[in-house]
Amino acid sequence: MSTRVRIVVPLRSTWDGDATVISSTGGLRLEVDRMADVPQSLEAAYDVARVERQVVDRVVAARDEGVDAVVVRCMRDVGVQAAREIVGIPVVGPAQATFQVACMLGRRFSVLVTLPRSIEVVEDQIRKWGLRHRFASARALDVPVQRLHDDEDLLLDRMGEQAQAAVEHDGAHVVVLGCTAMQGAGAAVERRLADADQVGVPVIEPLSLSVRLAGVLAQLGLSGSSRTHPAAAEFIRQAQWPRSRWASLPPLPEDPSTHQFLDVERTVSDPR
């Protein structure tokens, strides 16, 4: 029986690269769930907040329909953390998956993003996942997501230029394509690096990597740890315990010092 992997697309896009991934991935039964009434891109935090709950609902629906693993097709990894708390199947965010694999392939990696504003998004992700010592840089192409495929030659020129700069000036050993809509460009960027005497520098396409990783995790029976991603219903149930303990806590002193206040905080937050 083939492994079912569903790609949830949380933005509107005319790019149909998902079909390329589906046709080139053997051994997996791939499905695409394109969400309606969502922004064209998720480059703003406001838009991410708008769609996050919808993404979680789509992941839950996929689980209920017997899907084995889900990939959220956006380098913002929107809704991934929350979804992992709800379902017991692998939920893969392309950014986290790609950055971690990049660390396996080389000492430092750089990310090619669409617009300058996305550089800070990548930097925040790097800090969140503890990868600062493996991160070389993020470089912007100055092309919005919805215009990426207007001029393929221009896109490849800019990707090649920025990839070369990342290797030669930033010390990158691996290059990550920082948008899932850049799928299919990896080999061309590698060739351009080779033409610039940078042979053997891997260029990772996040979408195809994430799909394959999701399939492997499902086939191995692996999903998020309950200690990292507690089931939300159980978490909410356990969160009720402090209410019954407030009465047993010692009263705060009238003029508490900082140390006394911290001691009381530790008492409240310790479930033992």
Side-chain angles (χ1 to χ4, degrees):
M1 186 175 180
S2 60
T3 302
R4 291 179 67 187
V5 177
R6 182 169 296 178
I7 303 171
V8 173
V9 185
L11 44 82
R12 285 185 292 114
S13 173
T14 58
W15 179 73
D16 195 27
D18 302 299
T20 303
V21 176
I22 290 175
S23 64
S24 63
T25 306
L28 299 177
R29 179 181 168 189
L30 299 186
E31 308 163 357
V32 179
D33 178 8
R34 298 184 186 279
M35 295 170 54
D37 191 27
V38 289
Q40 286 188 325
S41 68
L42 296 179
E43 290 162 324
Y46 171 74
D47 289 327
V48 171
R50 285 176 56 196
V51 304
E52 186 166 22
R53 173 58 187 271
Q54 296 180 60
V55 169
V56 174
D57 290 343
R58 295 300 182 101
V59 175
V60 172
R63 187 273 316 273
D64 293 345
E65 294 168 21
V67 171
D68 298 301
V70 174
V71 173
V72 179
R73 207 205 84 189
C74 176
M75 289 293 279
R76 283 273 194 153
D77 286 6
V78 56
V80 169
Q81 182 80 7
R84 287 173 178 165
E85 294 186 355
I86 302 294
V87 300
I89 62 175
V91 182
V92 176
Q96 185 180 29
T98 309
F99 296 171
Q100 297 285 357
V101 170
C103 290
M104 297 170 57
L105 301 180
R107 185 178 295 272
R108 288 179 295 275
F109 66 93
S110 288
V111 185
L112 305 186
V113 298
T114 53
L115 296 174
R117 67 190 302 177
S118 297
I119 293 176
E120 293 181 356
V121 173
V122 171
E123 290 173 343
D124 288 344
Q125 292 172 325
I126 293 297
R127 282 190 289 269
K128 176 181 177 181
W129 296 321
L131 300 175
R132 293 179 69 176
H133 63 298
R134 308 297 297 276
F135 177 60
S137 64
R139 287 180 164 268
L141 305 179
D142 271 329
V143 182
V145 173
Q146 56 269 37
R147 305 297 298 274
L148 272 177
H149 297 280
D150 287 1
D151 188 330
E152 300 285 352
D153 291 334
L154 176 61
L155 175 66
L156 288 176
D157 285 342
R158 291 192 179 180
M159 294 174 77
E161 291 169 0
Q162 293 300 331
Q164 184 178 347
V167 173
E168 295 179 354
H169 300 300
D170 305 334
H173 294 193
V174 180
V175 174
V176 171
L177 303 187
C179 178
T180 56
M182 296 177 186
Q183 177 69 31
V189 177
E190 283 191 3
R191 287 194 297 270
R192 295 196 178 213
L193 285 172
D195 291 341
D197 295 326
Q198 298 295 343
V199 180
V201 176
V203 178
I204 306 179
E205 297 178 346
L207 181 55
S208 54
L209 183 146
S210 299
V211 167
R212 286 166 173 78
L213 177 61
V216 169
L217 291 174
Q219 290 161 1
L220 293 175
L222 297 173
S223 60
S225 167
S226 61
R227 299 197 61 166
T228 304
H229 311 288
E234 181 67 11
F235 182 85
I236 292 171
R237 185 189 67 78
Q238 292 179 357
Q240 305 305 312
W241 69 264
R243 297 182 180 179
S244 63
R245 294 185 57 185
W246 280 109
S248 62
L249 290 175
L252 287 170
E254 291 184 4
D255 185 21
S257 69
T258 302
H259 294 293
Q260 289 173 320
F261 183 72
L262 291 176
D263 287 342
V264 172
E265 282 196 322
R266 280 196 289 268
T267 303
V268 173
S269 62
D270 186 353
R272 294 174 297 178

